[in-house]
Every structure is written in C-alpha cells, then in structure tokens.
Amino acid sequence: MSYLLRFSLASSMIVNTRITAFVPPAPSAPSPLVALSALTERQMQFWEDIDDGIDDIATYYESNGQSLDRIRAFGRSARGETPPPTGSAAGHQPSEENVDGLTARPFWDVAADPESFPWAAQLESNAQIIIEEFEANLAKEQAREEGGIFSGDSAWQNKIMGLGWSAVRLQRLGQWNQDNCKEFPKTYELLQSLSIPLAVRGVCFARQAPGSGVAPHTDGRNFILTSHLGLKVPEGCWIQVGDERRSWEVGRLTTLDTSFEHSTGNPTDSDRHVLIIDFWHPELSEAERKALTFVYDLRNKFERGDVPVRKPRKLLAKEEEGMGLSAIWKSLAGGSDS
C-alpha cells in the first residue's frame, strides 16, 4: 500500500478498502525497505525540511525532558526505511505513518476518563446546544429547493466514503471554515471553549443517507482518535470497528481508533447525522503533538506549492563529491575559467 508521506504529497486521507481477517504476524524475513533513490527529489526536499523542523522543536522540548525519538522513528517508517508496523488485534491495520507504543483498541469510552479526555464529559453535557443548532440549520436546508449545506462540501471524499455519505466541514487540516462556522456559531464557540486537542483531520457534521453505508476501510494512522457525537440516529444504524459492532446514541460520544478497519451502515429510511471530531491520541506528549502538527502542516504547504523547489542537500553533497577542485571553482564562478 502506498501511503501519503512515503510516496506522494497529494492526499489528505489514506484508506484501505480490503476486507481481511486479522492474522497474527508470523516470523519471517524482513520486508524489503525503500532506498533513498526511490524518493523523488521533491520528496527528499520535503523530508530534509521535516528533519530540520524536528531538530528545531527538539531543541526546546528535549531540554525539558520530552523526547522526540518516536517522531524520528515515525519519519523513518513513513519513508520506508524500516519495516511497516503490524496490527495488534483483529482488524488493526496501522500504516507506515505510525507512532510506536500507543495503546490500540477499537472503541474508547472517553467520557468516563476525565484524566485523559477532560473535555469529553463537558461536551456530552452540552450536546443539546449542538443538536438544537444543527436541527435548526437542517430545517432551513430542507426548506431550500436545491443545494444546501451538505450539497458539495465533501464531494472529494465520495470515492472513499460512498455516495450516501456527505459532510459539512467546520475545520480541516487545522483551518476553521469561517463560512460554515458562521452557520453554527454556538457549536463553534462550544468546541473552542473545551480546548479539545484537535488533530490534523478536523471537525465536521456527517450525514449517512438511508439505505447506504461506508465500506470497510482504515486510514492507518494510530496517533489520531475520532469521536462521533450522535445528533439524529435512527434505530438500526451501526458502526463496526475491528470485529466489534455498536450503534450511536444521541448526545453521547462514540469514539474509535480509525487505524482499525471500520465501516458503517444505515439500513433505515431516514438520514443519520453525527458530529465528527478528530483529536490526538492521549499518550502523545506535547512535543510529539507539536512535531506531528508541523509534519502535516508542511505537507499541506508542499501540496499547495507554497514551498519553493530546491535541490536536496544530499544530492548536492553527492554531486560535489564527484567534482574536482577546478570543477567546484567553475561552478561557483558561473562556469568561467578566467
């Protein structure tokens, strides 16, 4: 499987739609690793910039006792320099974008763990604010003859989630969508007040149309957890993570680790709506969150073309190794012998 940071800089969601049973890994020869030459020059430049940034972050945090060793290992894994991680349970399919040593389980009861998730119980206790605002906007949308808040905000994701799934994004890749947030000011204010450690994927209202479902898939990243706050949940709707199936409850959080294979179904004749919130795994340190934020923020800048192209330092060094003193002087002098 080709994961984003290793082979491309062009996707914001990685999925695996293969349906496979979990088989404990058997001892075998190491997986073939990717040589430096397998990376394009642009990818080499990206990873050099990543390493520079991680070094800068480490200068501050490691002096305060927070190591970035796991993030450096994350980089080696994402580049294909080390064997890919293996799953730890049924349906667990971590990708090369992996942070070692994090607890992995399909579902998490976040509201019952205030030490790790101090915001979760508060969100549930104020869920009615979100539900009422969402229902008011939904009523306005249904009154429109065409278009609406769900009309095209997530068309790019239909190949992954299926034509029955759509979303209204409040935040994506660290950026709040101000137009959408203006439609949901109370929800936006509540989420901001709770200081949820939002991760790189973001926040959205998601709709699952009647008679549709999301096929089994995984995004592979084990360092992000996802909560679904139930808004409108017809009886019979379900979500399966690994080999465990549950439903949603209105006003309650259903939280999953999306590095497990997961799927959903709405066999009813009504829409199902949830608020999706992606946040950092609680076992990441502050330093590790900062470093991962930097990695994906830089990835976005590369995708947008905000970072000028330059020759990777490793390639420049190799070229200089093969040059004599006179050739180096000619290069520095613009090619002139005089």
Side-chain angles (χ1 to χ4, degrees), residues 257-291:
D257 178 343
T258 57
S259 65
F260 284 82
E261 184 176 81
H262 53 287
S263 57
T264 67
N266 179 4
T268 77
D269 58 3
S270 301
D271 286 336
R272 182 233 66 194
H273 294 98
V274 297
L275 176 68
I276 298 179
I277 303 171
D278 290 324
F279 55 94
W280 297 116
H281 194 293
E283 293 168 6
L284 292 172
S285 68
E286 179 185 347
E288 290 171 331
R289 294 178 187 183
K290 291 286 187 184

Side-chain angles (χ1 to χ4, degrees), residues 84 101-102 189 235 254 267 288:
L102 300 180
E189 182 179 353
E235 185 175 356
T254 298
E288 290 171 331

Side-chain angles (χ1 to χ4, degrees), residues 129-152:
I129 295 173
I130 298 174
I131 293 170
E132 290 176 359
E133 185 171 61
F134 177 77
E135 288 179 342
N137 276 281
L138 193 60
K140 287 191 294 184
E141 179 185 72
Q142 291 170 345
R144 296 184 177 104
E145 293 184 0
E146 60 182 36
I149 56 176
F150 283 98
S151 60

